[in-house]
């Protein structure tokens, strides 16, 4: 089963180790603030948020500063699981004073001699050429997505997607000048694989939702649960105002290897799902990455008519677009056939979930911050198999930073003045934790710019657990390992039974031939 999943994703990286190796913890894991429960994976990072961004300047991704994006539109891209790149990342990070990025030219596959970020650089180049007024940026989280080549290593980067989505949103909001929206600027988010989860979380957490969210082969097939690699975006997407109208978020989803259609799920009728056909000679990894190059090609077409040509940021009319398209022939990548028509008008975009207020022993509001006398507040709560996410509202003052943890693993971050603090962003998912007792931690880590060592309090209110039935959870690494061992035992047992049966059959045939010979001796 391990081999099947690795082959499915094409997860054969340049630093391969045996498939059964124990996963290495997230490499850039700093300690959680004092008072937060200890955890093997904290997701905490000491690197400044804006250090994770690069702006495409025509030849490379270069640093940005706060408020530097003043006009035009923004197309913000992020990558996925950097499987097999852990050794290269660690070697480069040890010799660097700042954060090493996904697009660092030193990341080179020793087998192909191709840089890690080649496909994304091509995408950035073609997007920038298609709209010279747009700013194309990329968000790097390779420090928490680089692992060894092993299916057992999938869980840590997948469990780092949520907090990196919030970081993506906070940093992007800080990059936008106060006049960006007033100048007509809109945001288009793009994410590949686990990066689709990061981009979706960012869409929820931005101070204002993006105009478009584009997903490249988000891992959703049932086998992706094995090892903890399933994104389950059908839940998060329902928190967005998905649709075709000017006030909606236009979502287009490209499937090439492990993705699934979203438009058929409740509340997601407005999604456009596209089934792509990679070349037959492509391996699993190439098929998984195919949407990156396909979308770049759609932007490079003159004029763009599909893919990027559908973007409302370039004035496309998205209302008449069909719900499902497919690429019939690998030889004609931009020739799509409509399989299902546009959603019926009046189809609702909202999904009703059961909501249960969370009673806090000390009462609400929960108050954290230097001026409040405590930096961390811990809340005990219980989940069951139907627990989907926990929602809350938070207000703070200038200079505040609020980090949220579940069982010691960081889930979100919010700063004030508001950045990454969109109304839909005040939530943490619960479908990736085992049902039972947990600890929710709110940690205030900011410093007020007007004084030294102080920060106004942050107030957290309206805690509630949202539930739905039939949640299909990812398997943990332990469950994956146990299933692998069971599968191996079954394979060995089956092989032994088959071999034993063949031996018995051969013995019976030999005996039969001997009896015939004895009954009918020659001469």
């Amino acid at each position: 089963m391990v081999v099947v999943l690795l082959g499915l994703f094409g997860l054969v990286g340049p630093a391969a180790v045996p498939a059964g190796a124990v996963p290495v913890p997230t490499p850039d894991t700093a300690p959680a603030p004092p008072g937060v429960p200890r955890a093997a994976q904290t997701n905490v990072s000491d690197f400044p948020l804006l250090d994770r961004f690069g702006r495409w300047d025509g030849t490379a991704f270069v640093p940005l500063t706060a408020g530097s994006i003043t006009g035009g539109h923004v197309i913000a891209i992020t990558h996925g699981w950097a499987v097999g790149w852990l050794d290269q990342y660690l070697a480069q990070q040890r010799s660097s004073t700042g954060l090493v990025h996904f697009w660092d030219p030193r990341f080179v596959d020793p087998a192909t001699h191709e840089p890690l970020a080649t496909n994304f650089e091509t995408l950035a180049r073609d997007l920038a050429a298609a709209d010279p007024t747009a700013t194309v940026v990329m968000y790097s989280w390779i420090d928490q997505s680089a692992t060894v080549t092993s299916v057992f290593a999938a869980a840590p980067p997948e469990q780092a997607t949520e907090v990196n989505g919030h970081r993506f949103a906070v940093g992007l909001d800080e990059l936008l000048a106060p006049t960006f929206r007033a100048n007509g600027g809109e945001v288009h988010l793009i994410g590949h694989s686990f990066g689709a989860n990061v981009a979706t979380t960012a869409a929820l957490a931005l101070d204002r939702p993006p105009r478009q969210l584009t997903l490249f082969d988000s891992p959703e097939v049932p086998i992706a649960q094995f090892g903890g690699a399933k994104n389950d975006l059908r839940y998060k997407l329902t928190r967005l105002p998905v649709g075709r109208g000017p006030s909606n978020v236009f979502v287009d989803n490209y499937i090439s290897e492990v993705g699934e259609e979203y438009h058929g799920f409740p509340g997601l009728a407005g999604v456009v799902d596209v089934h792509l056909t990679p070349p037959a000679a492509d391996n699993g990894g190439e098929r998984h990455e195919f949407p990156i190059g396909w979308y770049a090609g759609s932007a490079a077409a003159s004029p763009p008519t599909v893919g990027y040509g559908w973007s409302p940021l370039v004035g496309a009319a998205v209302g008449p677009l069909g719900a499902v398209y497919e690429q019939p022939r690998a030889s004609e990548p931009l020739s799509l056939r409509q399989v299902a028509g546009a959603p019926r008008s009046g189809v609702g975009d909202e999904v009703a979930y059961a909501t249960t207020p969370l009673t806090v022993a000390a009462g609400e509001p929960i108050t954290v911050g230097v001026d409040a006398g405590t930096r961390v507040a811990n809340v005990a709560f219980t989940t069951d198999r139907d627990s989907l996410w926990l929602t809350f509202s938070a207000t703070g003052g200038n200079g505040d930073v609020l980090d949220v943890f579940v069982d010691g693993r960081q889930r979100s971050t919010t700063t004030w003045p508001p950045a990454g603090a969109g109304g839909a962003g005040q939530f943490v998912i619960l479908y990736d934790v085992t049902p039972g007792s947990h600890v929710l931690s709110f940690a205030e880590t900011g410093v007020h710019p007007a004084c030294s060592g102080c920060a106004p309090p942050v107030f957290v209110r309206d805690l509630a657990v949202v539930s739905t039935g039939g949640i299909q959870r990812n398997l943990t690494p332990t469950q994956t390992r146990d299933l692998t061992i069971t599968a191996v035992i079954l394979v060995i047992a089956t092989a032994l039974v088959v071999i034993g049966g063949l031996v018995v059959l051969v013995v019976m045939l030999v005996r039969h031939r001997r009896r015939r010979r004895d009954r009918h001796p020659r001469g």
Side-chain angles (χ1 to χ4, degrees):
M1 293 178 74
V2 174
V3 175
V4 171
L5 187 59
L6 288 174
L8 180 65
F9 280 95
L11 300 180
V12 180
V17 298
V22 176
V24 176
T26 311
D28 181 40
T29 297
V36 174
R38 298 182 63 182
Q41 178 179 343
T42 68
N43 287 349
V44 174
S45 170
D46 290 331
F47 293 111
L49 285 182
L50 295 191
D51 285 4
R52 296 181 174 275
F53 289 83
R55 176 183 61 82
W56 183 253
D57 72 349
T59 58
F61 289 103
V62 297
L64 296 97
T65 57
S68 59
I69 303 176
T70 59
H73 297 310
V74 170
I75 306 175
I77 309 165
T78 191
H79 62 88
W81 181 10
V83 62
W85 293 90
L86 179 63
D87 287 350
Q88 285 202 38
Y89 166 75
L90 290 176
Q92 293 172 21
Q93 191 63 73
R94 290 189 191 104
S95 62
S96 301
T97 56
L99 175 65
V100 173
H101 300 104
F102 181 86
W103 52 85
D104 191 304
R106 293 174 294 177
F107 285 126
V108 176
D109 191 319
T112 64
H113 306 291
E114 187 171 278
L116 172 61
T118 294
N119 287 342
F120 288 97
E121 290 175 344
T122 300
L123 176 62
R125 180 198 66 203
D126 290 341
L127 290 172
D131 183 1
T133 67
T135 301
V136 180
V137 302
M138 189 166 182
Y139 173 84
S140 175
W141 59 293
I142 192 172
D143 55 312
Q144 297 190 330
S145 68
T147 71
V148 297
T149 303
S150 169
V151 66
F152 300 114
E158 201 285 329
Q159 291 177 349
T161 56
E162 185 175 20
V163 68
N164 278 286
H166 285 277
R167 290 175 183 144
F168 192 5
V170 170
L172 191 55
D173 275 333
E174 291 181 359
L175 291 173
L176 303 179
T179 57
F180 174 76
R181 302 287 187 184
N183 290 337
E186 296 281 5
V187 174
H188 179 185
L189 299 179
I190 300 175
H192 171 250
S193 192
F194 282 176
N197 206 344
V198 174
T200 300
T201 302
L204 289 163
L206 282 170
D207 190 46
R208 173 175 158 183
R211 184 65 184 92
Q212 183 174 359
L213 171 64
T214 298
L215 309 173
F216 293 157
D217 211 37
S218 171
E220 303 290 4
V221 294
I223 198 172
Q225 290 179 267
F226 185 80
K230 194 169 185 284
N231 274 344
D232 280 320
L233 295 189
R234 65 188 181 99
Y235 299 122
K236 284 187 178 180
L237 288 170
T238 59
R239 293 184 61 83
L240 284 171
V242 175
R244 308 293 183 84
S247 60
N248 294 127
V249 178
F250 173 62
V251 178
D252 48 341
N253 171 47
Y254 299 87
I255 303 161
S256 60
E257 180 73 351
V258 293
E260 73 170 352
E261 295 180 4
Y262 294 124
H263 82 280
F265 290 112
L268 303 181
V271 175
V272 175
D273 293 306
V274 183
H275 292 269
L276 300 178
T277 304
D282 282 4
N283 61 35
E286 291 167 335
R287 290 194 298 271
H288 184 45
E289 294 181 353
F290 183 75
I292 307 171
W294 184 92
Y295 201 81
S298 76
S302 182
T305 57
V306 297
Y308 178 73
W310 291 334
S311 175
L313 276 71
V314 295
V318 299
L321 291 176
V324 183
Y325 291 85
E326 66 177 16
Q327 176 193 340
R329 292 171 296 279
S331 60
E332 299 180 47
L334 300 183
S335 178
L336 300 182
R337 178 173 62 201
Q338 182 173 306
V339 178
R344 292 179 291 106
S345 60
V347 174
D349 293 323
E350 297 184 2
V351 179
Y353 293 111
T355 302
T356 304
L358 183 64
T359 302
V360 180
E364 291 188 7
I366 299 169
T367 309
V368 290
V370 172
D371 293 356
T374 180
R375 285 273 186 160
V376 175
N378 293 312
V379 177
F381 71 106
T382 302
T383 65
D384 58 31
R385 63 181 183 179
D386 293 334
S387 298
L388 189 60
W389 51 63
L390 184 144
T391 59
F392 62 94
S393 61
T395 55
N398 192 16
D400 272 323
V401 178
L402 180 68
D403 296 327
V404 183
F405 299 75
V406 175
D407 297 332
R409 174 154 56 93
Q410 188 178 359
R411 301 308 196 92
S412 76
T413 186
T414 302
T415 66
W416 285 269
Q426 305 289 47
F427 79 107
V428 294
I429 62 172
L430 298 176
Y431 53 81
D432 69 340
V433 299
T434 304
S437 299
H438 302 281
V439 177
L440 178 69
S441 303
F442 296 98
E444 198 284 324
T445 60
V447 176
H448 196 286
C451 62
S452 176
C454 69
V458 174
F459 302 100
V460 181
R461 300 178 174 86
D462 308 320
L463 279 73
V465 174
V466 178
S467 303
T468 190
I471 299 174
Q472 300 296 313
R473 286 178 165 81
N474 272 327
L475 299 183
T476 66
T478 300
Q479 291 171 323
T480 300
R481 188 173 291 106
D482 290 346
L483 281 177
T484 302
I485 293 172
T486 301
V488 170
I489 292 173
L490 287 174
V491 169
I492 293 173
T494 301
L496 291 175
V497 169
V498 171
I499 293 171
L502 291 173
V503 170
V504 170
L505 180 60
V506 170
V507 170
M508 291 177 63
L509 289 173
V510 170
R511 288 178 176 176
H512 179 69
R513 291 177 65 87
R514 286 177 178 174
R515 284 197 296 269
R516 289 188 61 185
R517 185 184 59 192
D518 293 342
R519 290 174 184 170
H520 306 284
R522 294 180 179 179

